[in-house]
Amino acid sequence: MSDKAVQQLATVTIRFAGDSGDGMQLTGNRFTSASAMVGNDVATLPDFPAEIRAPAGSLPGVSGFQLHFADHDILTPGDEPDALVAMNPAALKANLPALPTGATIIVNSDSFTKPALRKAKYDADPRQDGSLDGFKVYEVPITDLTLRALEGHDLSKKAKERSKNMFALGLMSWMYSRPLEPTIEWVESKFSAAPDLVDANVAVLKAGWAFGETTELFDHRYEVQPAADLPPGLYRQITGNLATAYGLIAAGQLSGLPLFLGGYPITPASDVLQELARHKNFGVATFQAEDEIAGVGAALGASFAGNLGATVTSGPGVNLKAETIGLAVATELPLLVCNIQRAGPSTGMPTKTDQADLLQALFGRNSDAPVPVVAAETPGDCFDAVIEGARLAIKYRTPVFVLSDGYLANGAEPWLIPDVAGLPDLSADVAFAAARHGDDDSFQPFTRSEATMARPWAIPGTPGLQHRVGGLEKADRSGNISYDPENHHRMTMLRQAKIDRIAQDIPPLAIEPDSDADADVLVVGWGSTKGPIKAAVRRVRDEGHKVAQAHLRHVNPFPSNTGAVLRRYHRVLVPEMNTGQLRMLLRATFLVDAVGYNRVTGLPFSSGELAEAIRSQVHQPHEGVEAT
Amino acid sequence: MSDASRVSGGRPGQATDTLTRKDFASDQEVRWCPGCGDYAILATIQGVMPDLGVSRENTVFVSGIGCAARFPYYMNTYGFHGIHGRAPAIATGISETRRDLKVFVVTGDGDALSIGGNHLIHAMRRNVDLTIIMFNNQIYGLTKGQYSPTSETGKVTKPTPEGSLDYPFNPVSVALGAEATFVGRTIDNERDHLSAMVERAAHHEGTAFIEVYQNCNIFNDGAFDAVRKNEANQIRLEHGRPVRFGAHGEHGVLLSDGCELEIVDVEGAEPADGSQPGATGRRVAAESELVVHDAHREDASLAFALSRLSHTPLGPTPIGLFRQVRRPVYGDELARQLADAQLRKGSGDLQALITGSDTWRVGGQRPPSPTP
């Protein structure tokens, strides 16, 4: 289909950047879809401002979408873009610092007007003052070419200009040999009610492709072969928030419990509430409450009534829900709390990622109120993490935290679609307490199962089991209000022991497959840093160093072998996007002298910075072993 | 998978046995202060329960924090003693998902109108199927006597030694303003009135809100005496009847030309003190001029105006049913949406859902080597 030379590449990272109204997220998503469908492994990093529409053309209004695609399995959205598409001067200025020397830059030259340069706070046109020296810069009049492609279409000039992102997509699709068909099909279904928009978008998309093919600007294009090492099977693309929503629906189906989600809009978690609201035919009830407190309150009420109660929020919402989560600890009822973490404190940076709510999940309640914590590792893993959270919540009659974050929430990856038949059956653990008839009024709601220490789940409507629960301390077994000192001590220990016991019911901490058993250095992480850490470990091992990696999926309780694993290594490095929360827990729990690599930028770690952190540990001399 | 979704459009499970007041009393020792108005309310509500025809296991009492919030422990039903102010939220989750349950919320003026004000108003505007009984004693009792959102301005309490600066809520006005579909007021020691009001509220479909004037004999004794101990000050609202009060019905309420409710003396009715109508300077009006109470008007303005006759219960004060209208019930509508979705799309197929439409297959074998 092309006369131009084709160069094979193993891995490419590109970034689309423009004004928040320029449709860069959509462009990135469509490019990702097409890349996934040709069989590349992909990872994405959307990066957008919290403002819905910051002033047009301004630096705060720049919206970016980075994606990494490759012919092998990849673990991160890429450290540095090989190519940048900048739709306006602000997008160029905001993204230039991220580009390595030699990177390709495609700019929409029509947008480099004096006012636009001023809005981007450029004193001089960067195309002429030498600031782009060292880059391969292609100036393409994208706006003008878009308008020309739409000559004869009955649309306003404004509407025509709005499809310029399709030109960029068409051009980049040509450059990296992506098929247009998936995008065309998508446009057709998206605008099925407006055929003139379908025609316009497809025309501009094809014009972008044709421009690449015919212009003399470009003398060759690239190909990236399908990834060979992905496990075989049927794949789709998935984001963490979609996987979280599907995980919740699956947990309802697998347990046989109607799912009730009580929520309140909050970035970056609102997608989950909105997605669930579309699937009422699964018996999923969603409730947008008046605030975060009522969202979780209704969820707990629903759990008391025999539903799978869940709430989805972000850190600031968890603050407000803390009291109700404590009530769920006291009443020993199942409750799922999904926290899509974002940068803080307080409102912080709502659209930027963070993993600094770990200690909040463990300790963010009054008194001793232990709660299990499960952390998702990749976008697709949010599905399994939620199901695991539901399993623990139901089996142990406890609130459970499932931690995701902004990076997982909006990042996408190819997902090997699970076979539903292979998912765990959660229904046996539901085991509602059975009715009692006659004069037997001996029901004791705070007796415990020997195996799990869980109390009976006696739901309203069951004859003979009328009982009262609440936040006041309960007498062991009877559940009556009790201020007895010894009872309070016993109940506190029972609640803790019930959660501690979960350590026996989760997989042991494993050393990742790409590790050296005889390494000196162990890198331990949790949550969304798994990919970047793995990429960094791979890089350092490729340099000939020995490194091992372990990743904690269950952060409370820790797997029972965690201490033993940590003690096998001379040095333990804990990279976290916080100031050292897991490190504090590991040091306090296991008396291990773990060191941290801690950076909080609102962006995921690059594998480059982590590789450097690992190298600095590898290069340290042995210490203390034979010291005199 | 489970037997069936329990989200259904049914009505509270009927009691099959004939139950008595005692059947609804739990084995827990009641621990309010001796002389507290709560005892009378508890006894009255326990007495009403058998008449509702709902089984004990299908009845749930939910509460927040405060003296009133201990209520669920004393009922032999399901109960959830929640956290301060959040009872309407917890109860919403129960009522929305279990249409077979009869859900009560027992709360106080601090719990409902201060810390829980947000949840209260939103439950009412949504018309969640809840019977909310608010014990108003105009004081915080459990924390030992601080002023509440219904305490009168100038109230001297420990945190307000010079008198409180707050202007109080009128709970009935709040409920009407929050679009409640059933709003009533009653008094702890008026057993028959209280009993009738609770029964009517319990049969209402949607949110029913009842304010109960409740005497706290320890921290705010006598707060309602002007009404509680003086029946002549009780303006008993009766649907379809002219609004009259006084021992001989010698007073009434009319709508003035200025569109305000005005208390007047009624022509031909002799005041209890033997004086002549109009002797106190009030206008005299014929019964035919009085406002006729209409609790079922869609527009809440008249009910609201009646609630403003006494901002604080120190003079003639309306009690009874201010408003009862029909509006779709939240839980029923939710159940309908769920049922519609199942009819329209069929029961969900989890495999189809998670597979979606944009998929690709990765084969087991390596693709051809890339050209160098």
Side-chain angles (χ1 to χ4, degrees):
Chain A
M1 54 185 167
S2 167
D3 298 336
K4 294 193 180 178
V6 174
Q7 183 184 343
Q8 297 294 328
L9 296 174
T11 168
V12 176
T13 298
I14 66 174
R15 189 183 288 187
F16 293 95
D19 209 51
S20 7
D22 280 345
M24 291 297 98
Q25 302 303 319
L26 186 154
T27 309
N29 274 315
R30 294 333 304 163
F31 195 97
T32 305
S33 244
S35 299
M37 286 182 141
V38 302
N40 295 144
D41 198 4
V42 297
T44 71
L45 176 63
D47 184 23
F48 45 84
E51 295 79 10
I52 301 301
R53 290 278 190 281
S58 69
L59 287 164
V62 173
S63 168
F65 188 102
Q66 180 166 314
L67 85 136
H68 183 190
F69 54 104
D71 66 1
H72 55 271
D73 74 308
I74 49 175
L75 307 159
T76 74
D79 285 7
E80 296 175 324
D82 301 302
L84 169 72
V85 178
M87 298 299 280
N88 67 9
L92 177 66
K93 184 162 191 180
N95 288 287
L96 200 55
L99 298 186
T101 309
T104 296
I105 300 174
I106 294 167
V107 296
N108 176 10
S109 55
D110 292 329
S111 69
F112 280 66
T113 60
K114 278 201 175 124
L117 288 166
R118 217 170 22 247
K119 276 188 210 157
K121 306 207 183 308
Y122 269 125
D123 295 329
D125 190 333
R127 297 171 301 169
Q128 277 131 39
D129 68 358
S131 19
L132 303 184
D133 291 354
F135 299 103
K136 279 180 283 188
V137 181
Y138 299 101
E139 293 190 41
V140 182
I142 292 177
T143 312
D144 185 53
L145 290 167
T146 299
L147 291 175
R148 273 202 261 159
L150 291 178
E151 269 172 22
H153 284 253
D154 185 22
L155 290 170
S156 68
K157 184 169 180 236
K158 205 170 170 187
K160 287 179 180 176
E161 282 187 7
R162 208 175 291 143
S163 37
K164 62 182 184 291
N165 62 328
M166 283 289 148
F167 190 94
L169 179 57
L171 174 57
M172 296 310 279
S173 297
W174 171 81
M175 186 175 284
Y176 292 100
S177 313
R178 314 280 94 178
L180 294 186
E181 288 72 21
T183 303
I184 292 172
E185 277 169 27
W186 179 84
V187 167
E188 283 168 352
S189 84
K190 169 98 180 163
F191 298 111
S192 57
D196 50 340
L197 287 181
V198 173
D199 292 346
N201 277 296
V202 171
V204 175
L205 181 71
K206 287 182 172 168
W209 176 288
F211 177 79
E213 183 65 32
T214 52
T215 182
E216 291 177 5
L217 270 179
F218 307 111
D219 57 6
H220 64 281
R221 58 197 185 95
Y222 306 97
E223 267 182 22
V224 177
Q225 294 296 322
D229 36 14
L230 291 178
L234 192 64
Y235 280 77
R236 64 169 289 164
Q237 203 194 138
I238 201 157
T239 63
N241 272 350
L242 188 60
T244 298
Y246 286 176
L248 286 165
I249 294 171
Q253 298 284 303
L254 298 168
S255 63
L257 294 172
L259 175 71
F260 179 93
L261 185 97
Y264 186 76
I266 185 169
T267 303
S270 310
D271 297 342
V272 181
L273 168 66
Q274 288 160 200
E275 180 64 29
L276 288 172
R278 300 174 53 220
H279 302 293
K280 294 194 172 65
N281 60 323
F282 285 85
V284 174
T286 56
F287 173 58
Q288 181 180 311
E290 58 272 21
D291 59 24
E292 295 279 3
I293 298 171
V296 71
L300 183 59
S303 282
F304 174 70
N307 299 268
L308 179 57
T311 191
V312 179
T313 186
S314 189
V318 175
N319 290 342
L320 292 164
K321 295 179 194 293
E323 190 186 19
T324 306
I325 298 167
L327 180 62
V329 170
T331 53
E332 303 193 41
L333 286 167
L335 177 71
L336 267 178
V337 182
C338 304
N339 176 359
I340 322 296
Q341 300 164 93
R342 69 189 214 190
S346 187
T347 308
M349 302 193 289
T351 56
K352 309 297 178 193
T353 197
D354 206 336
Q355 58 172 172
D357 296 348
L358 178 60
L359 297 183
Q360 178 195 44
L362 264 84
F363 304 117
R365 290 164 295 285
N366 61 306
S367 195
D368 287 306
V371 172
V373 180
V374 181
E377 297 171 347
T378 67
D381 182 52
C382 291
F383 180 79
D384 298 307
V386 168
I387 293 173
E388 171 65 357
R391 180 183 77 87
L392 297 178
I394 294 167
K395 185 168 180 180
Y396 294 92
R397 316 295 200 225
T398 175
V400 173
F401 266 102
V402 176
L403 298 180
S404 169
D405 62 31
Y407 164 50
L408 297 181
N410 292 313
E413 67 169 354
W415 187 44
L416 179 58
I417 300 163
D419 179 358
V420 167
L423 297 174
D425 177 8
L426 309 182
S427 64
D429 289 329
V430 171
F432 291 135
R436 295 179 178 206
H437 297 282
D439 295 330
D440 180 7
D441 56 359
S442 60
F443 177 58
Q444 298 200 309
F446 281 76
T447 51
R448 291 174 193 281
S449 142
E450 221 164 89
T452 62
M453 298 181 71
R455 74 175 191 89
W457 193 359
I459 67 168
T462 316
L465 302 189
Q466 293 92 282
H467 68 285
R468 276 64 56 192
V469 297
L472 288 172
E473 182 63 287
K474 301 283 175 282
D476 188 15
R477 305 184 67 84
S478 77
N480 293 335
I481 300 171
S482 171
Y483 286 86
D484 176 63
E486 285 311 314
N487 177 73
H488 177 54
H489 177 73
R490 187 160 62 249
M491 289 297 281
T492 301
M493 294 304 159
L494 283 170
R495 285 187 287 262
Q496 183 66 52
K498 181 177 79 168
I499 302 308
D500 290 346
R501 181 173 290 200
I502 291 173
Q504 314 304 321
D505 191 19
I506 58 179
L509 178 61
I511 296 298
E512 292 293 315
D514 300 329
S515 291
D516 298 295
D518 56 345
D520 280 342
V521 176
L522 175 70
V523 188
V524 182
W526 67 279
S528 73
T529 53
K530 185 174 187 179
I533 293 175
K534 198 165 196 139
V537 167
R538 192 180 278 178
R539 210 185 270 202
V540 177
R541 290 181 73 231
D542 285 349
E543 294 162 9
H545 302 294
K546 290 188 170 173
V547 187
Q549 180 190 3
H551 210 72
L552 284 158
R553 173 183 193 66
H554 292 88
V555 195
N556 191 42
F558 288 123
S560 48
N561 66 333
T562 304
V565 169
L566 298 179
R567 289 188 200 100
R568 285 213 298 270
Y569 298 87
H570 288 293
R571 276 183 293 280
V572 176
L573 173 66
V574 187
E576 288 178 275
M577 298 187 289
N578 61 43
T579 55
Q581 300 190 4
L582 175 64
R583 175 167 50 104
M584 177 196 285
L585 293 171
L586 294 179
R587 291 173 68 104
T589 312
F590 303 110
L591 296 177
V592 166
D593 189 16
V595 297
Y597 176 77
N598 304 92
R599 244 171 86 76
V600 277
T601 60
L603 294 168
F605 283 134
S606 73
S607 51
E609 64 182 316
L610 289 180
E612 193 48 47
I614 296 169
R615 272 184 219 111
S616 75
Q617 291 302 313
V618 169
H619 291 142
Q620 277 190 22
H622 280 219
E623 41 185 67
V625 184
E626 300 286 331
T628 52
Chain B
M1 305 286 155
S2 77
D3 31 358
S5 162
R6 282 179 310 285
V7 179
S8 70
R11 283 286 165 249
Q14 299 297 302
T16 46
D17 308 331
T18 310
L19 298 170
T20 66
R21 177 183 172 284
K22 280 172 86 177
D23 292 316
F24 283 90
S26 76
D27 60 355
Q28 300 296 299
E29 185 192 342
V30 182
R31 295 188 200 182
W32 287 310
C33 308
C36 177
D38 289 2
Y39 283 97
I41 304 174
L42 175 64
T44 304
I45 291 179
Q46 284 172 341
V48 169
M49 297 307 294
D51 298 335
L52 299 182
V54 181
S55 68
R56 287 174 297 184
E57 64 267 20
N58 283 71
T59 305
V60 184
F61 276 83
V62 183
S63 65
I65 294 292
C67 295
R70 297 296 179 97
F71 200 93
Y73 290 111
Y74 309 138
M75 298 296 294
N76 185 12
T77 64
Y78 283 86
F80 201 137
H81 178 208
I83 41 181
H84 206 10
R86 318 303 173 202
I90 295 167
T92 292
I94 300 170
S95 171
E96 278 185 17
T97 59
R98 291 289 304 275
R99 303 299 299 127
D100 59 327
L101 302 178
K102 175 69 214 163
V103 185
F104 291 84
V105 170
V106 177
T107 180
D109 42 309
D111 192 54
L113 292 173
S114 204
I115 192 167
N118 198 33
H119 309 306
L120 178 74
I121 60 175
H122 288 281
M124 293 193 290
R125 89 175 153 83
R126 291 189 185 105
N127 207 28
V128 180
D129 200 11
L130 301 173
T131 305
I132 302 176
I133 305 172
M134 192 196 85
F135 301 3
N136 182 11
N137 54 20
Q138 300 192 163
I139 201 78
Y140 282 84
L142 199 63
T143 49
K144 301 186 180 172
Q146 298 82 8
Y147 68 112
S148 92
T150 54
S151 298
E152 65 277 15
T153 306
K155 183 84 175 170
V156 174
T157 65
K158 280 183 221 156
T160 52
E162 290 84 25
S164 106
L165 303 174
D166 288 28
Y167 190 72
F169 268 143
N170 175 329
V172 167
S173 300
V174 170
L176 290 166
E179 311 288 352
T181 54
F182 182 111
V183 182
R185 177 187 284 148
T186 184
I187 303 174
D188 56 4
N189 63 347
E190 293 282 346
R191 190 180 182 112
D192 291 345
H193 191 269
L194 171 64
S195 179
M197 196 56 60
V198 170
E199 191 166 346
R200 292 182 75 170
H203 282 124
H204 177 69
E205 293 179 7
T207 310
F209 175 85
I210 308 175
E211 176 190 18
V212 185
Y213 286 162
Q214 175 249 321
N215 192 46
C216 172
N217 58 320
I218 303 297
F219 295 108
N220 206 16
D221 195 22
F224 302 99
D225 280 0
V227 181
R228 210 167 161 257
K229 291 196 168 165
N230 181 5
E231 280 201 32
N233 271 338
Q234 297 177 9
I235 307 176
R236 297 212 172 200
L237 300 174
E238 289 176 62
H239 174 74
R241 302 286 301 276
V243 181
R244 289 183 70 162
F245 64 101
H248 302 151
E250 66 270 29
H251 307 302
V253 174
L254 65 70
L255 189 62
S256 74
D257 296 340
C259 257
E260 282 177 3
L261 291 187
E262 181 185 344
I263 291 176
V264 296
D265 288 350
V266 181
E267 216 169 63
E270 190 191 328
D273 62 4
S275 63
Q276 287 302 305
T280 55
R282 279 187 183 131
R283 267 212 286 162
V284 181
E287 186 184 42
S288 59
E289 294 178 72
L290 300 182
V291 164
V292 175
H293 182 47
D294 181 359
H296 306 309
R297 276 163 69 121
E298 196 50 45
D299 177 52
S301 304
L302 177 64
F304 188 79
L306 286 168
S307 78
R308 311 306 290 173
L309 275 175
S310 60
H311 193 73
T312 47
L314 299 173
T317 299
I319 66 166
L321 178 61
F322 285 74
R323 184 181 197 222
Q324 182 180 20
V325 294
R326 291 183 72 89
R327 209 169 65 221
V329 176
Y330 195 98
D332 290 346
E333 295 299 295
L334 178 64
R336 184 183 55 74
Q337 286 194 346
L338 290 169
D340 283 356
Q342 296 219 354
L343 270 180
R344 222 171 47 247
K345 302 192 204 167
S347 283
D349 176 344
L350 183 60
Q351 189 69 60
L353 173 76
I354 65 174
T355 302
S357 51
D358 284 346
T359 60
W360 67 94
R361 188 165 287 284
V362 172
Q365 72 273 41
R366 297 189 70 85
S369 316
T371 323

